[in-house]
Amino acid sequence: MDSDLRSQVIEYLSKKGYTRTEATLRAESANQDADGRPIQSRAEDAGGARYSKAFELARLWIEDSLEIYKPELRRVLWPIFVYSFLSTVSEGYSDEASKFFTNFKGPFEEEHAVDLGVLQSISLPEHVLENHVAILYRENKYRLTLSSMAFLTFMQFLESHLKEGGTIIATILSTYFNVITVDRAADDQHSLAAMLGRARTTEDFPGEDEGIPGHNPGSANVDRNATAVLTRLKLGPLPMETELIEDIHYDLIEHDEANPPGPGQKSLVQEFHDHIKREESDDAPNRNDLPIPKAMARDVLMEIQKVKENRDRFKIEGRTGGVGPQISVCMFTFHNTHESINCLEISQDNLLIAAGMAESYIRVWSLDGKALPSRIKDQPLSNSRRLIGHSAPVYGLSFSPSGSPSESHSSIEKSQLRSRFLLSCSSDNHIRLWSLDAWTCVVIYKGHDQPVWDITWGPFGHYFASCSLDKTARLWATSSASYIRILVGHDDSVACICFHPNSAYVFTASDDKQVRMWALSNGYPVRMFTGHTGHITTIECSPNGKILATADDVGIIILWDLGPGKLLKRMRGHGKGGIWSLAWSMESTVVISGGADGTVRVWDVEGPADAAGQGKIIGDGAVGQRIDGGNQPAATASNLGPGGKKKGKEVIITPDQISAFPTKKSTVYKVRFTNMNLALAGGAFLPEVPR
């Protein structure tokens, strides 16, 4: 149809009142030239380059959007990038796909480096059908939570720019996304205050339920059709045996009679019944779910010691009026290690420290400098012992649970309270149990078929757990040479593991950036937490059993509320290199952390009122003065090294940090609170090697 005839037909339709037909013909005419050939004015008509035009359209609009919505809208770009790239390849436009990948991958390199490395190898439609990451994305919908207003504004923009690429982005959203919209009033994380707080910072973190395959926040069920109902947890303390309670009660009466409490001080019996005694309740696990051997005389002695420590220790109640508690840290530094230490562990009796070495052995030192006890006759006395048996580097150590002997204990009681065993794991795939009486290996546990990264005793000493490169975690008992539970579900190597204080649950963290909580009674996952952008390096559950702390190799600490399965907050202050250890105060009010930046940092669990802000900025250098709430160094001063030279990139410190203790050049491998709330830390001095 030529242009003159087309004009006559349109005029006729207008006169007769056929408005809908007229509008359709006008729209068709707008996309044809004078000879009736189609004009490629729409992005979707531009071959493989149409995805680049559409992605650039969305990216530019999001970067130009209101600051309050920008942080959450930026989370849309990564899945759009992935699905656009895969669609370009699957349609046979290999050259355009390569250009698209190169031009737009930049903003995602830090958070999605692993996925980008896999996607980069895709260049043919056959690769899309075979690549495991491509299959994962194309067979699942990407779950994303946005505020209603942000999503509505984005969709209105796409609808007003259909020809320029809005149609392509809208199609990707409807085909591959599961977008959950939330009203500001219905969700704390999308409230006006929270959105303004995120707008003031340059950091960009994923939501708890974001990603592939996606899950309800906290839920371990990854079925996208699953309900939001969470498994009810029993986070209370494990009930004591009736006979154990009676034995402790009568022994404490004798202690009170021999040493009456001072003025204003509780008796030990009263302290036990008020704070330590654990009885059956609706919130407590059943002792039959995970049987524990009958209590012995040593258990009575350890419980009595806990009562004394609970009454007499320095209480850390958390930050008051913006001023943090005055916590002291005792640091043990190892020299001349030549970077051979892989891990450190401090015993609960505060008498021993052990190092796992890259040379496949373990070395144990006495912290007080005294000779280590031995039951082997004619064995020379020394303040350190070398344990040899592994055939590859040692990556994890754990001392058996113990008490803290004092001068008031007899020599027999001191012997009963001290740690008796040490567990170790190695890249030789084995776990070893070492006797600290004979200083020799007594059991070799085999089950993992790849390197074992971490090992930990349960709180009551009978069970222990391990995790490995083979993507599994395993539960063991000292009464059996083989594992009794295998925990399977992670998609990548399981890097670290810890127990819940009541021993009914265990937590695992994997290189898939997920944290899972498992019920040991049946081996099923009951919670799953996502939100880290780096590899998770350490996890630790609070003594009250309600909060989990996790940290990663980019210096982020996240606190999780176990009951509702929600993220409580993120804390940041460590410099480059990541965080290697976390520990809780006995009241669960304060967390300490140690890392590769050579600092021990103290964090407030509750946090100040302005915690939503960006925080203060300092340099990444660790050498210098102590940093606390009233002594934060200025950004310009702390970012200068010797001679006024510029140091590394700036580090953001969130207001949750109470204080920081820098070392000279010592990487901090281990931090721990004693039962009296003294913070201990261990690390290795690593001087700079001259070039």
Side-chain angles (χ1 to χ4, degrees):
M1 183 183 297
D2 59 34
S3 58
D4 292 337
L5 180 58
R6 190 162 47 241
S7 300
Q8 293 174 10
V9 172
I10 291 174
E11 184 180 355
Y12 173 80
L13 293 174
S14 177
K15 290 179 180 179
K16 292 295 183 181
Y18 298 117
T19 54
R20 182 174 298 179
T21 308
E22 176 196 358
T24 302
L25 185 56
R26 285 184 183 276
E28 291 178 354
S29 301
N31 291 312
Q32 292 179 352
D33 59 17
D35 297 325
R37 291 188 296 268
I39 301 173
Q40 290 189 355
S41 61
R42 300 181 302 167
E44 52 264 44
D45 294 330
R50 66 186 187 275
Y51 289 103
S52 294
K53 294 180 179 179
F55 184 83
E56 182 70 357
L57 174 78
R59 188 187 68 81
L60 291 176
W61 181 83
I62 288 174
E63 292 303 322
D64 198 39
S65 63
L66 291 175
E67 293 295 330
I68 193 173
Y69 298 128
K70 192 178 295 183
E72 56 180 314
L73 285 172
R74 280 175 175 159
R75 306 303 307 175
V76 179
L77 291 176
W78 164 250
I80 291 178
F81 169 84
V82 173
Y83 290 117
S84 298
F85 171 71
L86 295 177
S87 297
T88 307
V89 175
S90 62
E91 292 176 17
Y93 299 106
S94 297
D95 293 339
E96 287 83 351
S98 178
K99 293 177 183 177
F100 176 89
F101 189 89
T102 303
N103 292 338
F104 299 116
K105 69 176 181 178
F108 313 115
E109 287 181 325
E110 182 175 352
E111 182 178 342
H112 301 284
V114 176
D115 282 354
L116 284 173
V118 176
L119 292 173
Q120 192 168 17
S121 63
I122 299 176
S123 58
L124 298 173
E126 293 80 7
H127 297 165
V128 177
L129 301 176
E130 298 169 355
N131 185 278
H132 69 281
V133 172
I135 293 171
L136 188 66
Y137 274 88
R138 289 174 68 87
E139 292 186 355
N140 294 277
K141 289 196 172 186
Y142 194 98
R143 180 178 173 123
L144 192 65
T145 301
L146 298 172
S147 63
S148 301
M149 185 57 67
F151 183 66
L152 177 62
T153 307
F154 186 42
M155 293 306 298
Q156 287 176 343
F157 168 76
L158 295 179
E159 289 175 2
S160 63
H161 294 76
L162 294 176
K163 292 182 180 180
E164 295 89 340
T167 302
I168 293 174
I169 302 299
T171 301
I172 290 175
L173 289 172
S174 62
T175 307
Y176 297 113
F177 276 66
N178 177 19
V179 179
I180 310 297
T181 56
V182 222
D183 290 331
R184 287 206 305 245
D187 191 317
D188 291 340
Q189 292 192 20
H190 292 85
S191 65
L192 182 60
M195 293 169 72
L196 287 171
R198 286 194 294 269
R200 287 196 297 268
T201 179
T202 57
E203 296 176 293
D204 185 21
F205 296 113
E208 297 172 62
D209 58 345
E210 179 182 331
I212 292 289
H215 65 285
N216 294 305
S219 174
N221 189 343
V222 296
D223 185 349
R224 59 177 177 267
N225 298 316
T227 62
V229 178
L230 298 178
T231 304
R232 183 177 181 273
L233 302 179
K234 294 190 174 183
L235 303 177
L238 185 73
M240 289 179 168
E241 301 171 47
T242 305
E243 294 179 4
L244 178 60
I245 292 176
E246 293 176 355
D247 290 342
I248 295 171
H249 176 82
Y250 289 118
D251 281 7
L252 289 176
I253 291 177
E254 294 179 5
H255 279 80
D256 283 333
E257 291 175 350
N259 301 284
Q265 190 178 45
K266 287 184 179 181
S267 68
L268 293 177
V269 172
Q270 186 179 359
E271 184 73 25
F272 171 64
H273 287 283
D274 288 349
H275 300 291
I276 304 298
K277 184 172 69 172
R278 305 186 299 272
E279 297 181 309
E280 292 186 3
S281 66
D282 292 338
D283 193 37
N286 192 322
R287 289 185 64 90
N288 296 325
D289 290 343
L290 201 67
I292 293 176
K294 187 177 178 64
M296 308 293 287
R298 180 177 185 266
D299 298 298
V300 177
L301 190 61
M302 289 179 62
E303 291 295 337
I304 290 174
Q305 184 64 17
K306 287 180 184 177
V307 176
K308 293 179 181 179
E309 292 167 340
N310 195 72
R311 185 189 68 175
D312 300 336
R313 70 166 165 255
F314 167 65
K315 301 293 191 298
I316 301 178
E317 305 296 347
R319 187 179 298 208
T320 304
V323 179
Q326 297 301 307
I327 294 173
S328 299
V329 179
C330 178
M331 176 77 181
F332 297 92
T333 304
F334 294 81
H335 291 265
N336 303 317
T337 62
H338 307 292
E339 300 186 5
S340 61
I341 293 180
N342 288 334
C343 58
L344 286 177
E345 183 70 11
I346 304 171
S347 63
Q348 293 180 13
D349 58 16
N350 310 318
L351 296 176
L352 303 173
I353 187 168
M357 313 300 285
E359 291 87 352
S360 309
Y361 68 90
I362 302 158
R363 187 132 195 179
V364 183
W365 287 268
S366 169
L367 286 178
D368 58 9
K370 297 179 181 178
L372 295 172
S374 175
R375 294 190 178 183
I376 304 298
K377 291 183 179 180
D378 302 325
Q379 193 173 45
L381 297 179
S382 172
N383 66 353
S384 69
R385 297 280 183 185
R386 184 178 291 194
L387 305 177
I388 300 175
H390 285 292
S391 58
V394 178
Y395 287 108
L397 297 169
S398 183
F399 284 102
S400 60
S402 58
S404 303
S406 64
E407 295 300 324
S408 62
H409 290 109
S410 66
S411 58
I412 296 177
E413 289 175 333
K414 289 180 180 179
S415 176
Q416 289 179 323
L417 283 172
R418 72 182 184 85
S419 189
R420 303 283 301 279
F421 298 98
L422 175 68
L423 282 167
S424 63
C425 62
S426 163
S427 56
D428 63 8
N429 307 350
H430 296 161
I431 299 165
R432 287 178 177 258
L433 179 67
W434 305 84
S435 167
L436 301 182
D437 292 325
W439 300 101
T440 186
C441 179
V442 291
V443 184
I444 301 176
Y445 297 95
K446 300 179 181 180
H448 290 287
D449 56 13
Q450 292 193 50
V452 186
W453 299 132
D454 199 11
I455 188 82
T456 182
W457 282 98
F460 304 105
H462 180 64
Y463 297 101
F464 61 93
S466 61
C467 60
S468 167
L469 181 63
D470 62 13
K471 305 180 185 178
T472 71
R474 301 178 193 234
L475 178 69
W476 311 74
T478 52
S479 57
S480 173
S482 60
Y483 57 86
I484 58 177
R485 284 271 189 277
I486 181 169
L487 309 176
V488 180
H490 283 291
D491 298 323
D492 209 331
S493 171
V494 184
C496 41
I497 192 166
C498 75
F499 272 88
H500 187 274
N502 65 17
S503 197
Y505 305 98
V506 74
F507 302 91
T508 57
S510 166
D511 287 348
D512 62 12
K513 301 178 184 177
Q514 295 178 357
V515 178
R516 292 180 182 241
M517 180 180 184
W518 310 79
L520 295 183
S521 58
N522 53 25
Y524 293 150
V526 292
R527 291 288 187 274
M528 184 170 74
F529 306 106
T530 58
H532 279 283
T533 57
H535 294 296
I536 304 168
T537 50
T538 181
I539 55 177
E540 194 70 28
C541 188
S542 63
N544 65 12
K546 297 179 180 178
I547 304 174
L548 179 71
T550 60
D552 60 30
D553 60 359
V554 296
I556 302 293
I557 300 172
I558 300 182
L559 300 184
W560 309 91
D561 190 346
L562 298 179
K566 292 283 188 179
L567 184 152
L568 286 177
K569 63 176 178 178
R570 287 182 171 89
M571 305 184 295
R572 184 164 191 174
H574 280 279
K576 60 184 179 182
I579 299 168
W580 301 120
S581 184
L582 295 169
W584 289 83
S585 66
M586 300 306 295
E587 294 80 12
S588 302
T589 55
V590 164
V591 173
I592 58 173
S593 59
D597 65 347
T599 64
V600 177
R601 297 179 185 263
V602 184
W603 307 90
D604 189 359
V605 173
E606 293 297 328
D610 61 340
Q614 177 176 336
K616 300 183 179 180
I617 300 177
I618 67 166
D620 64 351
V623 180
Q625 60 188 352
R626 173 181 165 180
I627 304 167
D628 56 33
N631 182 30
Q632 294 280 12
T636 54
S638 63
N639 205 30
L640 296 177
K645 292 183 179 179
K646 178 92 173 184
K647 292 203 297 190
K649 64 179 182 180
E650 294 177 334
V651 176
I652 295 174
I653 296 182
T654 56
D656 315 275
Q657 179 177 295
I658 296 173
S659 56
F661 299 87
T663 64
K664 291 291 185 181
K665 289 289 181 182
S666 299
T667 297
V668 182
Y669 291 116
K670 182 67 179 181
V671 292
R672 193 177 76 78
F673 269 109
T674 69
N675 291 337
M676 299 298 286
N677 272 335
L678 171 65
L680 304 179
F685 180 70
L686 302 175
E688 292 183 358
V689 179
R691 296 181 178 178

